[in-house]
Amino acid sequence: CLGERDCSMQRKHQKVIEEAPAPGISQEVRERMSKLVTDACKKINYIGAGTFEFLYQDGEFYFIEMNTRIQVEHPVTEMITGLDLVELQIKISRGERLKIKQEKLKNNGYALECRIYAEDPKNNFLPQSGKIMHFKAPKIKGLRVDSGIESKSEISIHYDPMIAKFIVWAENRENAHIKMKYALENTECLGIKTNLKLLVDILNNKNFKNGNYDIHFLDRLI
């Protein structure tokens, strides 16, 4: 068990920002959650990467589903564990035994992922299509950019409108937020509407900074 991620920042039931570890989760809850998911995987003889999803409220968590795959937000887990989850999944598919021991796993620091979309937040997050005339992400220490988009790329109506994932790592949550805000504000993306400003507004929001938010946050913000 590689720890939890918070994916509460959503629009249209799709995630926008993910954090690891989750703010507001006590160590006691974290340990209970970890034991439950590892016990469940052993019980069903599950092999491979998988993600258990829960709703969390007032110190209790409630099972929703298990996704039997690596998810889009896996980089935040990679950033705090130092593990390459895709590499590990390939090794598992080859029948190799992993040399990782649960008791030796230790999460380090804080990671944050922002999904940059070609969409119009002011118009019910309507997806945008067209050509990105110019795209350039800043080069700063601790920033990882996962993207297949570059200048002159075409955003088609046939695929998901996500342009890129920005993932940052820092020693703590506050510094991770500062680093992500800098990265977003210094990203150049011309020719199409995006949610870049919205992401910065979220990071500037007092409630988000304090970890006081839920899955309806964006409904109230916009």
Side-chain angles (χ1 to χ4, degrees):
C1 180
L2 305 181
E4 82 285 351
R5 300 185 289 253
D6 184 284
C7 304
S8 302
M9 193 60 64
Q10 302 180 10
R11 92 287 185 259
K12 293 183 173 181
H13 306 293
Q14 291 293 315
K15 301 160 188 173
V16 177
I17 294 179
E18 298 96 1
E19 301 186 78
I25 300 289
S26 69
Q27 187 59 30
E28 183 268 333
V29 169
R30 186 170 286 118
E31 290 173 0
R32 279 199 290 130
M33 196 179 290
S34 176
K35 184 178 187 306
L36 186 149
V37 300
T38 50
D39 286 350
C41 286
K42 291 174 183 177
K43 202 73 163 177
I44 63 174
N45 296 316
Y46 183 78
I47 298 174
T51 305
F52 283 76
E53 292 198 358
F54 298 94
L55 287 174
Y56 173 83
Q57 183 175 346
D58 301 329
E60 292 298 330
F61 53 93
Y62 308 89
F63 176 73
I64 303 176
E65 63 182 3
M66 180 187 182
N67 291 301
T68 54
R69 56 182 168 81
I70 291 176
Q71 291 193 280
V72 178
E73 64 274 12
H74 77 274
V76 292
T77 298
E78 293 185 335
M79 296 287 261
I80 65 171
T81 61
L83 300 173
D84 186 328
L85 301 191
V86 176
E87 177 187 8
L88 294 178
Q89 183 74 324
I90 291 172
K91 287 183 176 181
I92 291 170
S93 71
R94 292 174 175 171
E96 296 182 31
R97 291 186 65 85
L98 302 184
K99 298 178 180 179
I100 304 167
K101 298 295 183 182
Q102 183 71 53
E103 60 271 16
K104 292 188 176 181
L105 281 172
K106 185 179 180 181
N107 292 345
N108 178 38
Y110 215 95
L112 178 73
E113 175 179 294
C114 285
R115 303 189 191 187
I116 300 173
Y117 287 103
E119 63 184 16
D120 185 359
K122 293 184 177 180
N123 188 17
N124 196 30
F125 298 97
L126 186 71
Q128 304 292 293
S129 60
K131 182 177 286 187
I132 294 181
M133 303 307 297
H134 175 70
F135 180 73
K136 184 179 180 182
K139 293 183 178 180
I140 59 175
K141 184 179 180 181
L143 171 65
R144 166 178 166 177
V145 178
D146 287 5
S147 178
I149 297 297
E150 56 187 17
S151 297
K152 309 299 182 182
S153 287
E154 193 79 25
I155 302 297
S156 167
I157 62 171
H158 302 295
Y159 302 100
D160 187 274
M162 186 162 63
I163 297 171
K165 296 186 297 182
F166 278 16
I167 309 99
V168 299
W169 179 91
E171 296 81 4
N172 54 55
R173 187 171 184 261
E174 181 181 3
N175 287 343
H177 284 197
I178 292 171
K179 189 176 293 187
M180 179 64 81
K181 182 183 171 185
Y182 177 88
L184 295 170
E185 289 179 333
N186 288 275
T187 294
E188 301 167 7
C189 189
L190 305 176
I192 201 166
K193 289 182 179 179
T194 73
N195 67 335
L196 275 168
K197 183 180 181 302
L198 173 66
L199 292 171
V200 173
D201 288 344
I202 295 171
L203 291 170
N204 283 331
N205 186 276
K206 181 177 68 174
N207 287 322
F208 181 73
K209 289 180 180 179
N210 294 334
N212 181 26
Y213 63 95
D214 55 32
I215 58 174
H216 303 295
F217 179 90
L218 286 180
D219 296 332
R220 297 188 294 267
L221 183 66
I222 297 190

